[in-house]
Amino acid sequence: MAAVSPHILSLKDLAVGYESHQKPLLQGLNTALQPGSLTALLGANGIGKSTLLRTMAGIQTPLSGTVYLDGSNVATLSQEKVARAISIVLTERPSTGAMNVEELVSLGRFPFTNWLGTLLQSDKKAILAALEAVDLFSLRYQAVNTLSDGQFQKAMIARAIAQESHVMLLDEPTAHLDIPNKVAVMQLLRKLAKTLNMALLVSTHDLDLAIQTSDYLWLAHADGQLETGLTEELALNRAFDLVFQLSENGLRLEKGHLMVNHQTSGEYVTLSGDDDIAFWTALYLQKQGIKTQVVRDGHIHAIKQDDHQSKWSYKGIMFSTLESLYKTLRE
């Protein structure tokens, strides 16, 4: 294979899965992760996303094909060399006993310590830098079992940073988090990719977040193939529609967000005015079965007052609530 740029993890005709299965979960994979970028891996449950991550990290053997690290077959490299280049954050929450946060993060230095696990000054510096990177320095002496889910996920990411790898693979890092923490983790991962010039691959089901934070997407199709590319170009090419069968499931992608296709009657109204109010008004009316369209000069004019109160003007009548507006429309 021709030489590749430093610190690139690439796949060549890769097939992943289990020998006991009749066919691979994913196959014919030919793509690569780029330094300084965040890539999201998306697909249906059970399609093979976790298996692909474990195979790329050298934990699981490929059914066929090759994972290359800087042009070398990962299967031929020592565990120490792979660990120094590739870190992985899995979904399972490991047993941490009575560890504090700093002790958990220090486990990321195992590829660099001697057989006694002695931490040198350089190791301690890397650990503290990793804690700073995820904003957990002030919690470094706190017991791991007292952390919130969001804090624990950041600690696991810090452990991977302390490993000083060039590639980080994360399996559903936002799966058990509330919305603010989901956003915080994805923004953190994007920042790490840029500031540390790392190649990050994140398996996730959060399509909206992936679209808004990822540079590239890997979309796993039902036939076991990966469709890859720039996030925005895949959206423009309607790649999500096929992978997630949006229309069949009553969904559509609108301006980077998943929207429900509500059942509406033949009646419709047009909206104009404040963009934000018009958007939420249209959503409300569509839920009630009324088609809507935002135009320059609509039947209903949305107005945002100085006191942040929303108002609607319809046929010369001013309304202060959506319910009162809807009642008049129905009449």
Side-chain angles (χ1 to χ4, degrees), residues 84 106-127:
R84 288 193 177 199
S106 71
L107 296 178
R109 297 303 298 168
F110 78 92
F112 303 92
T113 57
N114 59 26
W115 65 278
L116 292 173
T118 305
L119 294 175
L120 304 178
Q121 194 61 38
S122 58
D123 298 310
K124 294 177 181 178
K125 183 178 179 181
I127 293 165

Side-chain angles (χ1 to χ4, degrees), residues 149-208:
D149 287 338
Q151 290 169 337
F152 178 79
Q153 196 59 259
K154 287 183 178 181
M156 294 299 292
I157 293 170
R159 185 178 76 166
I161 295 171
Q163 206 168 317
E164 293 186 318
S165 60
H166 312 305
V167 177
M168 188 186 300
L169 310 175
L170 302 101
D171 190 12
E172 293 284 353
T174 63
H176 305 296
L177 305 182
D178 57 24
I179 292 175
N181 277 304
K182 286 177 186 287
V183 175
V185 166
M186 290 300 288
Q187 288 180 325
L188 170 63
L189 295 176
R190 180 169 180 80
K191 178 182 177 182
L192 293 174
K194 305 303 178 185
T195 58
L196 301 180
N197 197 36
M198 296 179 69
L200 270 70
L201 177 63
V202 181
S203 168
T204 180
H205 286 290
D206 292 318
L207 178 57
D208 279 16

Side-chain angles (χ1 to χ4, degrees), residues 151-298:
Q151 290 169 337
F152 178 79
Q153 196 59 259
K154 287 183 178 181
M156 294 299 292
I157 293 170
R159 185 178 76 166
I161 295 171
Q163 206 168 317
E164 293 186 318
S165 60
H166 312 305
V167 177
M168 188 186 300
L169 310 175
L170 302 101
D171 190 12
E172 293 284 353
T174 63
H176 305 296
L177 305 182
D178 57 24
I179 292 175
N181 277 304
K182 286 177 186 287
V183 175
V185 166
M186 290 300 288
Q187 288 180 325
L188 170 63
L189 295 176
R190 180 169 180 80
K191 178 182 177 182
L192 293 174
K194 305 303 178 185
T195 58
L196 301 180
N197 197 36
M198 296 179 69
L200 270 70
L201 177 63
V202 181
S203 168
T204 180
H205 286 290
D206 292 318
L207 178 57
D208 279 16
L209 264 180
I211 289 173
Q212 295 179 61
T213 58
S214 301
D215 300 296
Y216 301 95
L217 294 180
W218 289 6
L219 302 178
H221 286 256
D223 62 0
Q225 301 294 313
L226 275 185
E227 185 172 2
T228 66
L230 284 172
T231 299
E232 293 74 16
E233 290 182 351
L234 289 175
L236 288 170
N237 294 337
R238 304 180 66 84
F240 305 113
D241 295 15
L242 181 60
V243 172
F244 297 103
Q245 298 181 316
L246 297 184
S247 58
E248 290 89 339
N249 290 300
L251 298 167
R252 70 183 187 279
L253 192 66
E254 184 176 302
K255 296 182 179 179
H257 297 283
L258 280 179
M259 304 292 291
V260 175
N261 292 323
H262 294 286
Q263 295 293 322
T264 57
S265 66
E267 300 173 292
Y268 80 96
V269 295
T270 55
L271 300 169
S272 60
D274 183 88
D275 289 343
D276 193 41
I277 302 175
F279 170 82
W280 291 107
T281 303
L283 180 60
Y284 172 77
L285 293 177
Q286 286 164 9
K287 287 179 182 177
Q288 313 313 315
I290 299 176
K291 292 181 181 179
T292 60
Q293 183 180 6
V294 178
V295 298
R296 183 182 295 275
D297 186 18

